Amino acid sequence: MTTIPAGTRAAVDAAREEVSALHALLVRYNLVAWTAGNVSGRVSGADLLVIKPSGVDYDDLTPQNMVVCDLDGTVVKGELAPSSDTAAHAFIYRAMPHVGGIVHTHSGYASAWSAVAEPIPCVLTAMADEFGGEIPVGPFARIGDDEIGRAIVEVLAEHRSPAVLMRSHGVFTIGPTPRDAVKAAVMCEDVARTVHLAQALGEPVHLTRKDIDALFDRYHTVYGQR
Ligand SMILES: [Zn+2]
């Protein structure tokens, strides 16, 4: 096992603290069942990531049992085995240097869209704000090796959306920070539900490209506290 250089220990501890705490939001927003789902974060200033241990109850997650891996997904520090999705997370961090956090869930409404392999069309201002267009669907890919990570990166590279529905599986979201990735997972489930409800009422009206662009730009430059 590689040792963590003394200079990066504080950053590793901070990442373990943050990633552990963020898992509570997946529970709070009803995005996960049993032990499914995971959050990871890149350790700032190091080629390391921190991720949930595999198969551990959400109530039992602590900063100490978060697993530290290198960007090949090899465990560097931690008593427990890392999430079975670690290879996918590691692939994304290697391929997308701007990504600082990743979330994976099987949240109900979003996964229902993935089960029918339909992208969620951009029919709400909140979707234009957060996703800058549709939420795309990636291909079916098995977990455990690079296949799913590669598929996620290929789809996300062609969209502004920080979320991708992986066919017959669930959702992966990315963000500059782990918290941003959690937010994208929460918003993805929210719009997946609302657009589903809209479809029950009739044919949802698509926003124009021009309106989507204007909303996306405003949200990312003006909205919130600066
Ligand atoms: Zn999964």
Side-chain angles (χ1 to χ4, degrees):
M1 213 180 258
T2 353
T3 49
I4 296 169
T8 58
R9 268 179 222 148
V12 166
D13 289 347
R16 281 176 131 183
E17 193 86 43
E18 181 186 19
V19 168
S20 173
L22 285 169
H23 281 90
L25 294 183
L26 303 189
V27 177
R28 186 198 296 173
Y29 287 97
N30 218 359
L31 303 183
V32 290
W34 202 241
T35 63
N38 42 69
V39 181
S40 73
R42 193 193 288 272
V43 177
S44 78
D47 287 333
L48 298 171
L49 64 90
V50 167
I51 192 164
K52 176 172 168 277
S54 182
V56 174
D57 202 277
Y58 277 85
D59 288 343
D60 297 330
L61 297 179
T62 64
Q64 291 69 38
N65 64 24
M66 292 298 116
V67 186
V68 185
C69 297
D70 65 21
L71 296 190
D72 290 317
T74 304
V75 175
V76 171
K77 186 176 182 179
E79 306 290 310
L80 302 170
S83 159
S84 53
D85 296 303
T86 300
H89 288 244
F91 189 96
I92 298 167
Y93 287 120
R94 291 201 304 277
M96 304 180 104
H98 61 285
V99 171
I102 300 169
V103 171
H104 172 53
T105 80
H106 303 157
S107 65
Y109 284 90
S111 297
W113 285 87
S114 86
V116 293
E118 282 285 331
I120 307 176
C122 191
V123 296
L124 297 163
T125 59
M127 276 194 79
D129 288 346
E130 185 69 27
F131 301 97
E134 67 171 21
I135 298 177
V137 189
F140 176 74
R142 280 173 306 195
I143 61 162
D145 58 17
D146 282 350
E147 187 187 349
I148 191 160
R150 183 173 294 115
I152 292 165
V153 167
E154 280 171 10
V155 176
L156 289 177
E158 289 172 4
H159 293 81
R160 285 191 290 206
S161 171
V164 54
L165 310 172
M166 294 308 286
R167 180 167 77 73
S168 313
H169 185 172
V171 189
F172 281 82
T173 62
I174 56 171
T177 68
R179 188 178 171 83
D180 291 315
V182 172
K183 180 190 174 198
V186 172
M187 301 306 265
C188 177
E189 179 63 5
D190 187 54
V191 300
R193 175 174 168 275
T194 307
V195 179
H196 167 70
L197 294 173
Q199 285 187 327
L201 296 172
E203 185 60 38
V205 182
H206 289 226
L207 291 170
T208 64
R209 188 77 248 170
K210 197 167 158 241
D211 286 335
I212 292 170
D213 288 348
L215 286 159
F216 184 79
D217 290 345
R218 185 201 63 97
Y219 187 70
H220 290 269
T221 54
V222 180
Y223 177 82
Q225 306 299 320
R226 301 276 148 191

